Amino acid sequence: MQADWTVAATPTSGPLSARKLAALTPRPPASHAANTNTFLAEAGEALDHLELPPAMRRLLLTPQREVAVELAIRRDSGELATFHAFRVQHDDSRGPFKGGLRYSPEVDLDDVRSLASLMTWKTAVMDIPFGGAKGGICCDPRQLSERELEALTRKLVQALRPVLGAHTDIPAPDMNTGAREMGWFMDEFSRAAGFTPAIVTGKPVHLHGSLGREAATGRGTVFAIRELLKAQGLGGIAGRTFVIQGFGNVGSWAARILHEQGGRVVAVADAFGAVAADAGLDIPALTRHMAAGGSLASFPGGTEMPKERILAVPCDVLIPAAIGGVITEANAGSLQCTIVAEAANGPITPDGDLVLRRRGITVLPDIYCNGGGVTVSYFEWTQNLQSYRWTEKEVNAKLDRAMTEAFRGIWEVASTKGLPLRTAAFVIALQRVAQARANRGFD
């Protein structure tokens, strides 16, 4: 996907328009942004439950700024390579733009635009003082050396610096990025602006990161599942069965914490394979196996299975924790669970969501379920601004409270209005953003 345009004779001197660069990008148009807006606007969804004027609806759905840049670096081979990169700033009515940076061959403007919108609703439903943004570089990080990745990250900071700031837009890790990249990001921004640890979150703990940040999204997902089970009168985590699709940072941490709390993780899949055990996988042993270089499918404590079958494994709770769009109208009928917890961003398409509703499968929506990451990012940002570090116990306790309070609000709206949890979450988020927009005025 990258091969058609990686080598250029000369780099561009400045940002291209997002529309022009998107048109030049050699890939078929995606539909992530359309999916997000469908959840908001169509078939009795969130916007139809709010009496908002048409102009306000357009404001809520339209990003404030879209930036597209072309990054040129010298490869280890001496070759000059260029990479498309994007930053979409959707809304900052409630606070600075906030959202991750992903490095993936699948990154395009539509994808980033959709994820930026989801960040606006996520920060609003979690009631933290941020807006929504997202960014990324279209590259395959597996094909780049550490030096090349560092050079690419620093070029991204240089290109986006005019629209970033600790009180303007604060990036964070996302797909294929982590503490290492955030450390490079902070260093490059600080070279021009002076020491600015609050410019980015998800940094290494020894470089002004927050304790508890690495596990935050997975831990928040477990808190969300716990609250739903309690609300439905189904007890707690202990004894329940779980299937996790995706065993990266989010999926692996969710598995560890579920295991610690007595849950049975009966199947796990990643991009390369899957493993299952009816009695429950030994998650600590699986984690050690993979840390030693073993593959998921080769874990001796379970039975290898085709990764394509992971969504249909019987369980109480299915946790898609990888990429978007994996549960569709075509496969939603094969799920054998009572709850789907969206630890990934956008793992269910709108048509797939309708199938799950008809089947009575409850969905914990992504704008709430995976909100633990941005919540602890907020804690990290706050600690950086105060130059004061909280203990991990404090961070986890504050995250627990934030996830619990957000769920209670969603559950109350869903119960009183007879809405699905996703629609209820969007109603809350839209109300908060619309109110902030109106209160700040339009002149």
Side-chain angles (χ1 to χ4, degrees), residues 238-287:
R240 296 287 165 187
T241 56
F242 301 86
V243 168
I244 302 177
Q245 185 252 344
F247 206 66
N249 174 272
V250 178
S252 62
W253 273 108
R256 286 183 236 184
I257 297 166
L258 289 168
H259 183 83
E260 290 170 1
Q261 297 187 8
R264 280 196 296 135
V265 180
V266 296
V268 173
D270 63 10
F272 307 102
V275 63
D278 290 341
L281 295 163
D282 184 340
I283 299 300
L286 175 58
T287 302

Side-chain angles (χ1 to χ4, degrees), residues 114-139:
S114 173
L115 294 168
S117 172
L118 286 174
M119 284 302 301
T120 296
W121 318 126
K122 187 180 300 183
T123 57
V125 81
M126 295 304 301
D127 202 18
I128 55 179
F130 284 141
K134 190 68 77 169
I137 303 175
C138 185
C139 69

